[in-house]
Amino acid sequence: MLVTALVNLAPAVAQAPKQAVASPALQKEFDGFIEKFRAVLRTNDSAAVASMTRLPFMNDKAIRDAAQFRAKTYPTSFTAKNRACIQRGKAVYDRDQENNDNYFVFCGDLIFVFTKTPAGFLFTDVGAND
């Protein structure tokens, strides 16, 4: 009976989606980026965070430059609670449908997304943690 159960279970295990794994070089690059990002969050430096963000932010024309990001996004997304969470949160790697390398930090109701771009890693999105 145990053999039958294992044989029936094998196809389900074989079809389970594989968890994406970052290459050691990509992980090292992200580790360097997130260390700097966390350092500027510790000092609450919105200008430095903006410089590490892909603009226009989330392709929103209303947040097309650093000044708009600092005025519209930083105060609501980077509260003291969220900055502390990003400091201690574990970044999770995955690839999206467009084959982009992304890391996610989950903070309560929000997900902070960091994406590998031609310019290196950048903060690219903040969304609902559903």
PDB file of all heavy atoms in Angstrom, residues 53-65 68-69 72-73 96 98 100 113 115 117 122-126:
ATOM      1  N   THR A  53      16.123  54.192  -7.445  1.00  0.00           N
ATOM      2  CA  THR A  53      14.778  53.820  -7.891  1.00  0.00           C
ATOM      3  C   THR A  53      14.649  54.033  -9.392  1.00  0.00           C
ATOM      4  O   THR A  53      15.135  55.025  -9.928  1.00  0.00           O
ATOM      5  CB  THR A  53      13.729  54.694  -7.153  1.00  0.00           C
ATOM      6  OG1 THR A  53      13.849  54.454  -5.751  1.00  0.00           O
ATOM      7  CG2 THR A  53      12.316  54.392  -7.614  1.00  0.00           C
ATOM      8  N   ARG A  54      13.969  53.098 -10.074  1.00  0.00           N
ATOM      9  CA  ARG A  54      13.700  53.274 -11.509  1.00  0.00           C
ATOM     10  C   ARG A  54      12.566  54.274 -11.662  1.00  0.00           C
ATOM     11  O   ARG A  54      11.481  54.109 -11.109  1.00  0.00           O
ATOM     12  CB  ARG A  54      13.327  51.938 -12.162  1.00  0.00           C
ATOM     13  CG  ARG A  54      13.077  52.096 -13.672  1.00  0.00           C
ATOM     14  CD  ARG A  54      12.904  50.792 -14.402  1.00  0.00           C
ATOM     15  NE  ARG A  54      11.786  50.054 -13.851  1.00  0.00           N
ATOM     16  CZ  ARG A  54      11.583  48.761 -14.074  1.00  0.00           C
ATOM     17  NH1 ARG A  54      12.407  48.062 -14.816  1.00  0.00           N
ATOM     18  NH2 ARG A  54      10.541  48.154 -13.542  1.00  0.00           N
ATOM     19  N   LEU A  55      12.861  55.319 -12.423  1.00  0.00           N
ATOM     20  CA  LEU A  55      11.886  56.382 -12.680  1.00  0.00           C
ATOM     21  C   LEU A  55      11.561  56.436 -14.165  1.00  0.00           C
ATOM     22  O   LEU A  55      12.438  56.175 -14.980  1.00  0.00           O
ATOM     23  CB  LEU A  55      12.448  57.723 -12.195  1.00  0.00           C
ATOM     24  CG  LEU A  55      12.734  57.798 -10.700  1.00  0.00           C
ATOM     25  CD1 LEU A  55      13.506  59.051 -10.363  1.00  0.00           C
ATOM     26  CD2 LEU A  55      11.446  57.724  -9.895  1.00  0.00           C
ATOM     27  N   PRO A  56      10.345  56.758 -14.582  1.00  0.00           N
ATOM     28  CA  PRO A  56       9.210  57.060 -13.726  1.00  0.00           C
ATOM     29  C   PRO A  56       8.837  55.832 -12.887  1.00  0.00           C
ATOM     30  O   PRO A  56       8.847  54.707 -13.389  1.00  0.00           O
ATOM     31  CB  PRO A  56       8.096  57.442 -14.691  1.00  0.00           C
ATOM     32  CG  PRO A  56       8.472  56.835 -15.996  1.00  0.00           C
ATOM     33  CD  PRO A  56       9.978  56.743 -15.995  1.00  0.00           C
ATOM     34  N   PHE A  57       8.535  56.072 -11.623  1.00  0.00           N
ATOM     35  CA  PHE A  57       8.256  54.989 -10.693  1.00  0.00           C
ATOM     36  C   PHE A  57       6.982  54.275 -11.084  1.00  0.00           C
ATOM     37  O   PHE A  57       5.940  54.885 -11.268  1.00  0.00           O
ATOM     38  CB  PHE A  57       8.163  55.523  -9.265  1.00  0.00           C
ATOM     39  CG  PHE A  57       8.026  54.437  -8.238  1.00  0.00           C
ATOM     40  CD1 PHE A  57       9.042  53.506  -8.060  1.00  0.00           C
ATOM     41  CD2 PHE A  57       6.897  54.341  -7.462  1.00  0.00           C
ATOM     42  CE1 PHE A  57       8.920  52.496  -7.128  1.00  0.00           C
ATOM     43  CE2 PHE A  57       6.761  53.341  -6.516  1.00  0.00           C
ATOM     44  CZ  PHE A  57       7.774  52.414  -6.353  1.00  0.00           C
ATOM     45  N   MET A  58       7.092  52.958 -11.247  1.00  0.00           N
ATOM     46  CA  MET A  58       5.973  52.092 -11.624  1.00  0.00           C
ATOM     47  C   MET A  58       5.305  52.585 -12.918  1.00  0.00           C
ATOM     48  O   MET A  58       4.099  52.457 -13.097  1.00  0.00           O
ATOM     49  CB  MET A  58       4.978  51.958 -10.473  1.00  0.00           C
ATOM     50  CG  MET A  58       5.577  51.261  -9.261  1.00  0.00           C
ATOM     51  SD  MET A  58       4.538  51.179  -7.783  1.00  0.00           S
ATOM     52  CE  MET A  58       3.009  50.532  -8.383  1.00  0.00           C
ATOM     53  N   ASN A  59       6.116  53.191 -13.791  1.00  0.00           N
ATOM     54  CA  ASN A  59       5.646  53.727 -15.071  1.00  0.00           C
ATOM     55  C   ASN A  59       4.540  54.766 -14.916  1.00  0.00           C
ATOM     56  O   ASN A  59       3.733  54.965 -15.814  1.00  0.00           O
ATOM     57  CB  ASN A  59       5.195  52.602 -16.014  1.00  0.00           C
ATOM     58  CG  ASN A  59       6.366  51.768 -16.448  1.00  0.00           C
ATOM     59  OD1 ASN A  59       7.435  52.284 -16.744  1.00  0.00           O
ATOM     60  ND2 ASN A  59       6.182  50.452 -16.466  1.00  0.00           N
ATOM     61  N   ASP A  60       4.512  55.430 -13.773  1.00  0.00           N
ATOM     62  CA  ASP A  60       3.518  56.464 -13.496  1.00  0.00           C
ATOM     63  C   ASP A  60       4.107  57.815 -13.890  1.00  0.00           C
ATOM     64  O   ASP A  60       5.076  58.283 -13.291  1.00  0.00           O
ATOM     65  CB  ASP A  60       3.159  56.441 -12.009  1.00  0.00           C
ATOM     66  CG  ASP A  60       2.065  57.421 -11.636  1.00  0.00           C
ATOM     67  OD1 ASP A  60       1.753  58.339 -12.434  1.00  0.00           O
ATOM     68  OD2 ASP A  60       1.518  57.281 -10.525  1.00  0.00           O
ATOM     69  N   LYS A  61       3.533  58.454 -14.884  1.00  0.00           N
ATOM     70  CA  LYS A  61       4.031  59.751 -15.363  1.00  0.00           C
ATOM     71  C   LYS A  61       3.964  60.831 -14.285  1.00  0.00           C
ATOM     72  O   LYS A  61       4.659  61.829 -14.357  1.00  0.00           O
ATOM     73  CB  LYS A  61       3.251  60.200 -16.602  1.00  0.00           C
ATOM     74  CG  LYS A  61       3.362  59.240 -17.768  1.00  0.00           C
ATOM     75  CD  LYS A  61       4.759  59.232 -18.345  1.00  0.00           C
ATOM     76  CE  LYS A  61       4.802  58.360 -19.580  1.00  0.00           C
ATOM     77  NZ  LYS A  61       5.965  57.536 -19.690  1.00  0.00           N
ATOM     78  N   ALA A  62       3.125  60.636 -13.271  1.00  0.00           N
ATOM     79  CA  ALA A  62       3.025  61.604 -12.181  1.00  0.00           C
ATOM     80  C   ALA A  62       4.197  61.469 -11.202  1.00  0.00           C
ATOM     81  O   ALA A  62       4.371  62.311 -10.327  1.00  0.00           O
ATOM     82  CB  ALA A  62       1.706  61.432 -11.436  1.00  0.00           C
ATOM     83  N   ILE A  63       4.974  60.397 -11.353  1.00  0.00           N
ATOM     84  CA  ILE A  63       6.151  60.187 -10.499  1.00  0.00           C
ATOM     85  C   ILE A  63       7.337  59.936 -11.425  1.00  0.00           C
ATOM     86  O   ILE A  63       7.963  58.896 -11.428  1.00  0.00           O
ATOM     87  CB  ILE A  63       5.935  59.007  -9.521  1.00  0.00           C
ATOM     88  CG1 ILE A  63       4.610  59.152  -8.785  1.00  0.00           C
ATOM     89  CG2 ILE A  63       7.087  58.934  -8.510  1.00  0.00           C
ATOM     90  CD1 ILE A  63       4.210  57.941  -7.969  1.00  0.00           C
ATOM     91  N   ARG A  64       7.612  60.936 -12.259  1.00  0.00           N
ATOM     92  CA  ARG A  64       8.614  60.768 -13.308  1.00  0.00           C
ATOM     93  C   ARG A  64      10.025  61.160 -12.908  1.00  0.00           C
ATOM     94  O   ARG A  64      10.975  60.850 -13.604  1.00  0.00           O
ATOM     95  CB  ARG A  64       8.192  61.508 -14.572  1.00  0.00           C
ATOM     96  CG  ARG A  64       8.206  63.002 -14.471  1.00  0.00           C
ATOM     97  CD  ARG A  64       7.682  63.682 -15.744  1.00  0.00           C
ATOM     98  NE  ARG A  64       7.572  65.113 -15.551  1.00  0.00           N
ATOM     99  CZ  ARG A  64       6.588  65.724 -14.927  1.00  0.00           C
ATOM    100  NH1 ARG A  64       5.611  65.032 -14.419  1.00  0.00           N
ATOM    101  NH2 ARG A  64       6.589  67.040 -14.791  1.00  0.00           N
ATOM    102  N   ASP A  65      10.163  61.882 -11.768  1.00  0.00           N
ATOM    103  CA  ASP A  65      11.510  62.286 -11.370  1.00  0.00           C
ATOM    104  C   ASP A  65      11.691  62.129  -9.860  1.00  0.00           C
ATOM    105  O   ASP A  65      10.755  61.815  -9.132  1.00  0.00           O
ATOM    106  CB  ASP A  65      11.823  63.706 -11.840  1.00  0.00           C
ATOM    107  CG  ASP A  65      10.907  64.764 -11.254  1.00  0.00           C
ATOM    108  OD1 ASP A  65      10.402  64.589 -10.113  1.00  0.00           O
ATOM    109  OD2 ASP A  65      10.682  65.783 -11.922  1.00  0.00           O
ATOM    110  N   GLN A  68       9.392  64.241  -7.502  1.00  0.00           N
ATOM    111  CA  GLN A  68       8.030  63.721  -7.393  1.00  0.00           C
ATOM    112  C   GLN A  68       8.005  62.434  -6.571  1.00  0.00           C
ATOM    113  O   GLN A  68       7.092  62.211  -5.779  1.00  0.00           O
ATOM    114  CB  GLN A  68       7.444  63.493  -8.785  1.00  0.00           C
ATOM    115  CG  GLN A  68       7.184  64.795  -9.511  1.00  0.00           C
ATOM    116  CD  GLN A  68       6.866  64.591 -10.979  1.00  0.00           C
ATOM    117  OE1 GLN A  68       7.286  63.618 -11.597  1.00  0.00           O
ATOM    118  NE2 GLN A  68       6.133  65.532 -11.541  1.00  0.00           N
ATOM    119  N   PHE A  69       9.011  61.572  -6.750  1.00  0.00           N
ATOM    120  CA  PHE A  69       9.099  60.348  -5.958  1.00  0.00           C
ATOM    121  C   PHE A  69       9.210  60.697  -4.472  1.00  0.00           C
ATOM    122  O   PHE A  69       8.513  60.119  -3.637  1.00  0.00           O
ATOM    123  CB  PHE A  69      10.311  59.515  -6.398  1.00  0.00           C
ATOM    124  CG  PHE A  69      10.536  58.294  -5.550  1.00  0.00           C
ATOM    125  CD1 PHE A  69       9.846  57.117  -5.808  1.00  0.00           C
ATOM    126  CD2 PHE A  69      11.433  58.318  -4.493  1.00  0.00           C
ATOM    127  CE1 PHE A  69      10.045  55.990  -5.013  1.00  0.00           C
ATOM    128  CE2 PHE A  69      11.642  57.208  -3.692  1.00  0.00           C
ATOM    129  CZ  PHE A  69      10.942  56.035  -3.954  1.00  0.00           C
ATOM    130  N   LYS A  72       5.697  62.187  -3.364  1.00  0.00           N
ATOM    131  CA  LYS A  72       4.480  61.379  -3.468  1.00  0.00           C
ATOM    132  C   LYS A  72       4.614  59.950  -2.964  1.00  0.00           C
ATOM    133  O   LYS A  72       3.650  59.394  -2.445  1.00  0.00           O
ATOM    134  CB  LYS A  72       4.012  61.345  -4.929  1.00  0.00           C
ATOM    135  CG  LYS A  72       3.624  62.702  -5.455  1.00  0.00           C
ATOM    136  CD  LYS A  72       3.245  62.644  -6.914  1.00  0.00           C
ATOM    137  CE  LYS A  72       2.903  64.030  -7.433  1.00  0.00           C
ATOM    138  NZ  LYS A  72       2.560  64.030  -8.843  1.00  0.00           N
ATOM    139  N   THR A  73       5.766  59.341  -3.134  1.00  0.00           N
ATOM    140  CA  THR A  73       5.913  57.923  -2.800  1.00  0.00           C
ATOM    141  C   THR A  73       6.650  57.695  -1.496  1.00  0.00           C
ATOM    142  O   THR A  73       6.224  56.898  -0.665  1.00  0.00           O
ATOM    143  CB  THR A  73       6.641  57.177  -3.942  1.00  0.00           C
ATOM    144  OG1 THR A  73       5.896  57.358  -5.143  1.00  0.00           O
ATOM    145  CG2 THR A  73       6.763  55.695  -3.647  1.00  0.00           C
ATOM    146  N   ASP A  96      10.249  37.011 -13.186  1.00  0.00           N
ATOM    147  CA  ASP A  96       8.886  37.302 -13.632  1.00  0.00           C
ATOM    148  C   ASP A  96       8.649  36.769 -15.047  1.00  0.00           C
ATOM    149  O   ASP A  96       9.524  36.140 -15.641  1.00  0.00           O
ATOM    150  CB  ASP A  96       8.573  38.793 -13.505  1.00  0.00           C
ATOM    151  CG  ASP A  96       9.453  39.668 -14.385  1.00  0.00           C
ATOM    152  OD1 ASP A  96      10.032  39.174 -15.370  1.00  0.00           O
ATOM    153  OD2 ASP A  96       9.560  40.877 -14.081  1.00  0.00           O
ATOM    154  N   GLU A  98       8.583  38.249 -17.802  1.00  0.00           N
ATOM    155  CA  GLU A  98       9.488  38.830 -18.806  1.00  0.00           C
ATOM    156  C   GLU A  98      10.935  38.382 -18.584  1.00  0.00           C
ATOM    157  O   GLU A  98      11.854  38.910 -19.193  1.00  0.00           O
ATOM    158  CB  GLU A  98       9.415  40.362 -18.782  1.00  0.00           C
ATOM    159  CG  GLU A  98       8.129  40.925 -19.346  1.00  0.00           C
ATOM    160  CD  GLU A  98       7.041  40.986 -18.292  1.00  0.00           C
ATOM    161  OE1 GLU A  98       7.337  41.252 -17.116  1.00  0.00           O
ATOM    162  OE2 GLU A  98       5.872  40.748 -18.645  1.00  0.00           O
ATOM    163  N   ASN A 100      12.773  38.800 -15.947  1.00  0.00           N
ATOM    164  CA  ASN A 100      13.554  39.731 -15.131  1.00  0.00           C
ATOM    165  C   ASN A 100      13.894  39.090 -13.794  1.00  0.00           C
ATOM    166  O   ASN A 100      13.079  38.370 -13.221  1.00  0.00           O
ATOM    167  CB  ASN A 100      12.764  41.015 -14.864  1.00  0.00           C
ATOM    168  CG  ASN A 100      12.532  41.809 -16.123  1.00  0.00           C
ATOM    169  OD1 ASN A 100      13.444  42.031 -16.892  1.00  0.00           O
ATOM    170  ND2 ASN A 100      11.294  42.229 -16.332  1.00  0.00           N
ATOM    171  N   VAL A 113       9.739  45.671  -4.293  1.00  0.00           N
ATOM    172  CA  VAL A 113      10.339  44.914  -5.391  1.00  0.00           C
ATOM    173  C   VAL A 113      11.609  45.603  -5.875  1.00  0.00           C
ATOM    174  O   VAL A 113      11.613  46.819  -6.123  1.00  0.00           O
ATOM    175  CB  VAL A 113       9.341  44.768  -6.571  1.00  0.00           C
ATOM    176  CG1 VAL A 113       9.941  43.907  -7.667  1.00  0.00           C
ATOM    177  CG2 VAL A 113       8.005  44.197  -6.091  1.00  0.00           C
ATOM    178  N   THR A 115      14.560  45.075  -8.883  1.00  0.00           N
ATOM    179  CA  THR A 115      14.723  44.393 -10.163  1.00  0.00           C
ATOM    180  C   THR A 115      16.093  44.680 -10.753  1.00  0.00           C
ATOM    181  O   THR A 115      16.579  45.808 -10.704  1.00  0.00           O
ATOM    182  CB  THR A 115      13.622  44.866 -11.147  1.00  0.00           C
ATOM    183  OG1 THR A 115      12.340  44.625 -10.553  1.00  0.00           O
ATOM    184  CG2 THR A 115      13.705  44.125 -12.477  1.00  0.00           C
ATOM    185  N   THR A 117      18.311  45.645 -13.607  1.00  0.00           N
ATOM    186  CA  THR A 117      18.142  46.433 -14.825  1.00  0.00           C
ATOM    187  C   THR A 117      19.506  46.540 -15.503  1.00  0.00           C
ATOM    188  O   THR A 117      20.522  46.164 -14.906  1.00  0.00           O
ATOM    189  CB  THR A 117      17.625  47.851 -14.499  1.00  0.00           C
ATOM    190  OG1 THR A 117      18.675  48.586 -13.874  1.00  0.00           O
ATOM    191  CG2 THR A 117      16.395  47.812 -13.593  1.00  0.00           C
ATOM    192  N   LEU A 122      17.621  48.090  -9.044  1.00  0.00           N
ATOM    193  CA  LEU A 122      16.896  49.305  -8.671  1.00  0.00           C
ATOM    194  C   LEU A 122      15.618  48.919  -7.938  1.00  0.00           C
ATOM    195  O   LEU A 122      15.064  47.833  -8.166  1.00  0.00           O
ATOM    196  CB  LEU A 122      16.533  50.130  -9.907  1.00  0.00           C
ATOM    197  CG  LEU A 122      17.673  50.771 -10.685  1.00  0.00           C
ATOM    198  CD1 LEU A 122      17.158  51.410 -11.965  1.00  0.00           C
ATOM    199  CD2 LEU A 122      18.407  51.803  -9.830  1.00  0.00           C
ATOM    200  N   PHE A 123      15.151  49.817  -7.087  1.00  0.00           N
ATOM    201  CA  PHE A 123      13.825  49.681  -6.483  1.00  0.00           C
ATOM    202  C   PHE A 123      12.831  49.994  -7.591  1.00  0.00           C
ATOM    203  O   PHE A 123      12.893  51.066  -8.197  1.00  0.00           O
ATOM    204  CB  PHE A 123      13.697  50.654  -5.316  1.00  0.00           C
ATOM    205  CG  PHE A 123      12.314  50.757  -4.744  1.00  0.00           C
ATOM    206  CD1 PHE A 123      11.632  49.637  -4.308  1.00  0.00           C
ATOM    207  CD2 PHE A 123      11.701  51.991  -4.637  1.00  0.00           C
ATOM    208  CE1 PHE A 123      10.354  49.741  -3.779  1.00  0.00           C
ATOM    209  CE2 PHE A 123      10.431  52.114  -4.100  1.00  0.00           C
ATOM    210  CZ  PHE A 123       9.755  50.983  -3.670  1.00  0.00           C
ATOM    211  N   THR A 124      11.907  49.062  -7.869  1.00  0.00           N
ATOM    212  CA  THR A 124      11.040  49.239  -9.038  1.00  0.00           C
ATOM    213  C   THR A 124       9.551  49.244  -8.745  1.00  0.00           C
ATOM    214  O   THR A 124       8.766  49.667  -9.598  1.00  0.00           O
ATOM    215  CB  THR A 124      11.306  48.141 -10.082  1.00  0.00           C
ATOM    216  OG1 THR A 124      11.128  46.857  -9.466  1.00  0.00           O
ATOM    217  CG2 THR A 124      12.703  48.258 -10.670  1.00  0.00           C
ATOM    218  N   ASP A 125       9.142  48.759  -7.581  1.00  0.00           N
ATOM    219  CA  ASP A 125       7.702  48.625  -7.368  1.00  0.00           C
ATOM    220  C   ASP A 125       7.414  48.466  -5.886  1.00  0.00           C
ATOM    221  O   ASP A 125       8.225  47.930  -5.132  1.00  0.00           O
ATOM    222  CB  ASP A 125       7.205  47.392  -8.115  1.00  0.00           C
ATOM    223  CG  ASP A 125       5.709  47.357  -8.336  1.00  0.00           C
ATOM    224  OD1 ASP A 125       4.989  48.229  -7.818  1.00  0.00           O
ATOM    225  OD2 ASP A 125       5.239  46.445  -9.038  1.00  0.00           O
ATOM    226  N   VAL A 126       6.256  48.907  -5.499  1.00  0.00           N
ATOM    227  CA  VAL A 126       5.702  48.600  -4.196  1.00  0.00           C
ATOM    228  C   VAL A 126       4.250  48.241  -4.454  1.00  0.00           C
ATOM    229  O   VAL A 126       3.548  48.939  -5.199  1.00  0.00           O
ATOM    230  CB  VAL A 126       5.851  49.760  -3.169  1.00  0.00           C
ATOM    231  CG1 VAL A 126       5.145  51.004  -3.617  1.00  0.00           C
ATOM    232  CG2 VAL A 126       5.423  49.340  -1.796  1.00  0.00           C
TER     233      VAL A 126
END
